Amino acid sequence: MRTILTTLLILVLTQLKAQNMEQPKDVVTHLFVATDQNQWNKVENCFANEVLLDYSSMGNPTSKLTPNQITNAWKIILPGFTHTHHQIGNIQEVIEKDKSEVFAYGTATHYLEDENGSVWTVVGTYSFELIKESKQWKVSAMTFNLKYQDGNLSLPQKAINKVAGKPNLPTMGERNKTSVKSFFQALENEDADEVVNLFAENAIHINPYHSGIFPEGANGKEAIKNYWEPVFPNFDGMTFPVDEIYAMEDPSIVYVKYTGNIKLKNNAGVYSNNYYSTFKFDEEGKITEYVEIFNPITAARGFGLLDKIK
């Protein structure tokens, strides 16, 4: 008798298991896992025959697409990252007969192993609608609601370029920050020609806190050369370690915080001051404006000119 009951129980459980398809939230989980693994056939299998894809919060138009159209779009960018990691949580699921809704918090981290080891992170929420197709739950609508982005926002274009086999040229901000570093290196090299070559023909150099005892600055490339050329022989070397450097929201402007350490002649000591500067660049990457902000009291004291300050 026990054998018959056991056999019947196994048959019932097997039948129930066959009828118990994946739940909607499981389909959503599999969608993200397959995406991170670039398993595009599995990604497409999670979608219905037609999907309303809404990434308008990221600036993309809402469209009705086939699963293949979706994966073709994702293939253009996602394989360009070294790793992607989609993490979802706080999942809520509502099932009504042949339709269901899934809501989840989501964090998508994208890592690209380049010279900077950059990361781009996107945080928001997902809303899914699912329907039954051939007794399987399929995603028929997918909406992402952006909360914020963080990290290197130029990374998506780099990933796209990598997939397309195009070289990743530096962004304007990165290029301009490199030029600022080259400017300080030229000063440390005491090379006026190297300094001047970084400037545009009509560039200006401004010292807003010259206080009447330091040069006000210079207008034009030749004047900038004449400004710096006599400086170097007056000292026994100088260094300008950079503390902070940022490309601004307008990438043609770079802000930098740095220290000036200037060794005085005849072992007279070292003059040090804290500096804050802005650099403006033209489209060709030449400096059009350099503003040098420093503490004039510290400078006057360092050069024995306190009685001259205005």
Side-chain angles (χ1 to χ4, degrees):
M1 191 69 175
R2 288 183 179 179
T3 303
I4 295 174
L5 288 174
T6 302
T7 302
L8 288 173
L9 181 61
I10 291 173
L11 289 172
V12 171
L13 290 173
T14 301
Q15 188 175 14
L16 288 172
K17 184 177 180 181
Q19 294 175 350
N20 186 24
M21 70 177 94
E22 281 188 328
Q23 295 302 298
K25 62 182 180 182
D26 298 324
V27 175
V28 170
T29 300
H30 292 327
L31 170 62
F32 286 118
V33 172
T35 299
D36 284 335
Q37 295 174 348
N38 292 341
Q39 295 182 335
W40 305 116
N41 288 336
K42 290 185 177 181
V43 171
E44 292 180 14
N45 193 50
C46 294
F47 287 119
N49 291 328
E50 187 177 69
V51 183
L52 181 66
L53 194 66
D54 183 356
Y55 272 67
S56 56
S57 66
M58 297 281 293
N60 299 318
T62 301
S63 305
K64 284 187 176 181
L65 303 170
T66 65
N68 185 249
Q69 286 175 321
I70 293 173
T71 56
N72 283 343
W74 291 359
K75 287 176 186 177
I76 292 172
I77 179 171
L78 295 181
F81 296 105
T82 311
H83 300 289
T84 63
H85 183 87
H86 289 80
Q87 190 74 43
I88 59 172
N90 297 340
I91 302 175
Q92 300 174 31
E93 180 183 63
V94 177
I95 302 175
E96 294 183 2
K97 296 184 179 180
D98 291 341
K99 294 184 178 180
S100 65
E101 295 180 356
V102 175
F103 173 85
Y105 283 23
T107 300
T109 304
H110 311 75
Y111 174 73
L112 182 56
E113 188 174 1
D114 60 4
E115 67 276 7
N116 299 314
S118 300
V119 174
W120 169 50
T121 303
V122 183
V123 178
T125 62
Y126 292 94
S127 297
F128 295 89
E129 295 178 10
L130 295 92
I131 59 174
K132 282 183 182 177
E133 284 186 359
S134 302
K135 297 183 179 180
Q136 290 185 327
W137 286 110
K138 301 284 188 176
V139 175
S140 60
M142 177 178 178
T143 300
F144 178 68
N145 301 293
L146 175 68
K147 288 185 176 178
Y148 66 88
Q149 302 181 67
D150 196 14
N152 187 346
L153 301 186
S154 70
L155 223 56
Q157 187 59 54
K158 286 188 175 183
I160 291 170
N161 290 347
K162 185 177 178 181
V163 172
K166 297 178 181 178
N168 270 315
L169 301 175
T171 64
M172 181 186 292
E174 290 171 339
R175 179 200 68 186
N176 293 341
K177 287 196 294 183
T178 299
S179 293
V180 170
K181 293 175 183 177
S182 297
F183 170 75
F184 292 120
Q185 186 61 59
L187 294 183
E188 293 180 2
N189 293 342
E190 300 183 8
D191 189 330
D193 289 328
E194 189 179 348
V195 171
V196 170
N197 285 338
L198 296 167
F199 286 85
E201 287 295 334
N202 59 346
I204 56 174
H205 173 177
I206 304 170
N207 291 332
Y209 297 111
H210 57 85
S211 301
I213 57 174
F214 302 106
E216 296 183 19
N219 293 315
K221 200 169 181 177
E222 190 64 29
I224 291 172
K225 181 177 181 180
N226 293 335
Y227 176 98
W228 284 105
E229 210 163 34
V231 170
F232 303 127
N234 292 325
F235 305 105
D236 281 339
M238 53 184 69
T239 60
F240 297 92
V242 173
D243 300 316
E244 298 175 14
I245 182 169
Y246 306 106
M248 308 300 282
E249 185 175 356
D250 177 351
S252 68
I253 303 173
V254 173
Y255 161 85
V256 60
K257 175 185 175 184
Y258 56 102
T259 304
N261 299 310
I262 299 175
K263 188 176 181 181
L264 304 179
K265 288 279 191 180
N266 303 317
N267 294 319
V270 175
Y271 157 67
S272 294
N273 207 338
N274 296 320
Y275 292 80
Y276 303 85
S277 287
T278 56
F279 293 77
K280 290 184 180 179
F281 292 84
D282 61 19
E283 291 183 358
E284 295 179 357
K286 294 292 186 179
I287 301 168
T288 59
E289 180 186 281
Y290 164 54
V291 179
E292 182 179 299
I293 299 172
F294 57 89
N295 186 331
I297 302 297
T298 301
R301 184 183 296 115
F303 295 109
L305 300 172
L306 270 177
D307 60 329
K308 304 290 185 181
I309 200 165
K310 296 179 181 179

